[in-house]
Every structure is written in structure tokens, then in C-alpha cells.
Amino acid sequence: MASDLDTVRVLRALFNDMPRAPQGLSGVELMEWIKASMTDHEGGEMAYMIEHITRNSMLDIVLHMRESGHLQDDAAFEQTVALISTEEGRRTFRDNCINAQKTVDATERLLKRARKASPQQQALFEVDPLEIERFVAGQASGPGNLFAEYAALEEVREIGVFDQAPEQVHEFAWGFVVERSGTWSVYVAEVWRQGTVGYFHRFLSAWKMELAAPLDAAGSLPPVPPGLLMDDGIGTFSSLSFELEAGAAPAPVRRWLGEVFMVRMLPRMAARALDDSFDFPVNASFN
């Protein structure tokens, strides 16, 4: 196991250039100092939080490798501690981790293709027509139990996803949609319960796959309305986000999102995203 000394050394290496509170501050003064540090950080509070989360993730990775990986070797551990003590070294470490994961993912894809092809995925959930009618009519239900469940997650609160209350929330049996001035962010309960940040790339791949083969039991899917842009959802901590371009008509977009995307595309996309054995075609993937 990683010793207490190992943990302290990695912490010091990772956070040596982050501001430290002066000694002797009262509780109130300490909170004020922390708030000022976040506000003054380059990029603001969000950048500060992301930087802390990133470095804490690196802490977990290094300690895990110290306990059960190649960093059990003292020389390799010393080299890694020195590496992550600088910003350039941390970038190198992150890149190495990303490249290692890509290698693992590529190997897994090859193994999947060697197996017998799995049958076409079924829909993850069924959509209530009355809920869709309400959405198309612009009648927001307001936050419900699913919104409260998601908003209470530690990482959601830490990032501050809903520090500013959303303008409208449309809650469904399968999740909810947050609407803000011509943008719609989609949150699927069965997805975030697996980990809020784990499926962005798979949802984007599922979206590309739907557009590449837009046929289902009901026939051809109506095309994406002009002026509607899709985003991978990372910025809103959602599965997918949609944005209406300036000057585009909102009524047909809202109808398409409800009657086409939510009814015919999203249930199938969610099923594929959650099925780790489903191998997306190369042209539907990031890689």
C-alpha cells in the first residue's frame, strides 16, 4: 500500500504551486481567503474548481499505481513525483494517461469485433406521449425528484452546475431537460447514476450513428431542423445539449426535440451508450 509519506509527497508535488492560506486565520477569514483565491484564479472560479478536481484525480491515479502498478518500483515512483511537481510535467503525465487509455480502448474494440456481433440494441425506456405534448407546448413541469437527485450529487455541487437556478426544467419519467434561453440540456437518470462524466463520448458516438443511419421501425427520421446545433454536453454536465442559432424559429425545433429526438432517438442512444459491450462504428467514434 501507499504509505502516509507517499501520500504527503504526492500531495506536495501536485499542489506546490497552488496558493496556501496564511497561518492563524479564523474560520470566517479562511472562508473569505478561499473565496478570494477562487475568484482571482486565472479563468475564474470554474477554472479553479476544474484544476483542483484534475489534480485530485491525478493524486488517485498515482497512489493507485504506487499500491498495485509499476510505481511500486521506488525509482519509478521518484521519477513520477518529480514529473508532476511542474505544470509541464503534469501535462505530460495527463497525456500519458490519456494515451494509455486510448490503447486500452483500441484493444477492447478489436476484441469486441472478434466476438459474435450483438443484436441491435433496444430502447432503454419508453416515452410518455403526454409528457412530450407538454414539452412541445412549452409547459415546463418544474424541478422534480430526478432533478433533485442529480443536483444533490457531490460532483454536481462541487462544479456548481446549478448554482444559478435554470429558467425551466422539464421532468420526465426517464430524466429531465433544462431549458435556458434557446438551449436544451438533456439528463438521463440511468446514465448519470453510472457516473456523471463517464458517457459524453459514447452519447456523441450514438448521435453520429443515428444521423448516419436515420431509419427505425417508424421509417425515416425527419432531419435536424435548420438552426439547431448539437453539443457534447460536457459544458453543462449533461448527456447532450442543443442550442438554437440566432434568428432560428423555436417552434419547429421544440417539436423536433420532443417528437423526434426524445421519442425515437434518445431511448435507443441511451441504450447503446450504457451497453459497454456495444462497439460503435469507427466513423461514429472520437477515435
Side-chain angles (χ1 to χ4, degrees), residues 22-33:
Q23 296 292 324
L25 296 181
S26 67
V28 174
E29 290 171 336
L30 178 60
M31 293 304 298
E32 291 177 349
W33 182 90

Side-chain angles (χ1 to χ4, degrees), residues 146-191:
L146 293 179
F147 179 88
E149 176 187 339
Y150 181 82
L153 294 175
E154 181 179 357
E155 57 266 46
V156 173
R157 291 186 287 105
E158 194 170 282
I159 291 294
V161 179
F162 294 126
D163 280 353
Q164 182 178 353
E167 295 175 11
Q168 290 185 314
V169 177
H170 306 268
E171 185 150 320
F172 305 89
W174 48 264
F176 61 91
V177 174
V178 168
E179 182 172 351
R180 289 189 177 97
S181 302
T183 65
W184 296 268
S185 299
V186 181
Y187 299 82
V188 180
E190 290 304 311
V191 174

Side-chain angles (χ1 to χ4, degrees), residues 32-252:
E32 291 177 349
W33 182 90
I34 293 173
K35 184 175 182 181
S37 297
M38 295 174 66
T39 303
D40 296 340
H41 186 79
E42 183 178 356
E45 294 185 14
M46 179 64 75
Y48 180 93
M49 293 300 299
I50 291 175
E51 184 67 22
H52 262 269
I53 291 171
T54 300
R55 297 195 193 194
N56 276 296
S57 297
M58 293 171 67
L59 170 67
D60 291 340
I61 293 170
V62 172
L63 293 180
H64 177 73
M65 290 193 296
R66 179 61 168 166
E67 292 179 357
S68 58
H70 76 283
L71 295 187
Q72 293 178 82
D73 177 77
D74 290 340
F77 179 68
E78 294 291 340
Q79 184 179 12
T80 299
V81 169
L83 180 70
I84 62 176
S85 64
T86 67
E87 178 57 32
E88 182 179 356
R90 286 189 290 273
R91 283 198 298 270
T92 299
F93 182 82
R94 290 195 297 266
D95 289 344
N96 290 342
C97 291
I98 291 170
N99 289 333
Q101 185 60 52
K102 286 182 177 179
T103 300
V104 171
D105 291 343
T107 302
E108 179 62 19
R109 286 198 301 273
L110 290 174
L111 291 173
K112 287 177 181 176
R113 288 167 190 160
R115 304 181 192 126
K116 184 178 179 180
S118 61
Q120 182 76 357
Q121 298 300 301
Q122 302 299 314
L124 181 67
F125 53 83
E126 294 184 359
V127 177
D128 186 337
L130 295 179
E131 292 179 338
I132 295 301
E133 289 180 12
R134 184 187 68 205
F135 174 82
V136 172
Q139 299 171 355
S141 64
N145 292 335
L146 293 179
F147 179 88
E149 176 187 339
Y150 181 82
L153 294 175
E154 181 179 357
E155 57 266 46
V156 173
R157 291 186 287 105
E158 194 170 282
I159 291 294
V161 179
F162 294 126
D163 280 353
Q164 182 178 353
E167 295 175 11
Q168 290 185 314
V169 177
H170 306 268
E171 185 150 320
F172 305 89
W174 48 264
F176 61 91
V177 174
V178 168
E179 182 172 351
R180 289 189 177 97
S181 302
T183 65
W184 296 268
S185 299
V186 181
Y187 299 82
V188 180
E190 290 304 311
V191 174
W192 83 62
R193 287 169 181 160
Q194 304 299 317
T196 51
V197 298
Y199 292 90
F200 297 124
H201 66 294
R202 291 187 65 80
F203 258 94
L204 183 56
S205 295
W207 166 261
K208 291 179 179 179
M209 188 174 177
E210 285 291 312
L211 296 184
L215 292 174
D216 63 7
S220 299
L221 293 174
V224 179
L228 182 62
L229 305 177
M230 193 282 298
D231 182 73
D232 56 25
I234 293 176
T236 54
F237 241 48
S238 64
S239 298
L240 286 177
S241 289
F242 296 89
E243 180 178 359
L244 191 64
E245 286 186 320

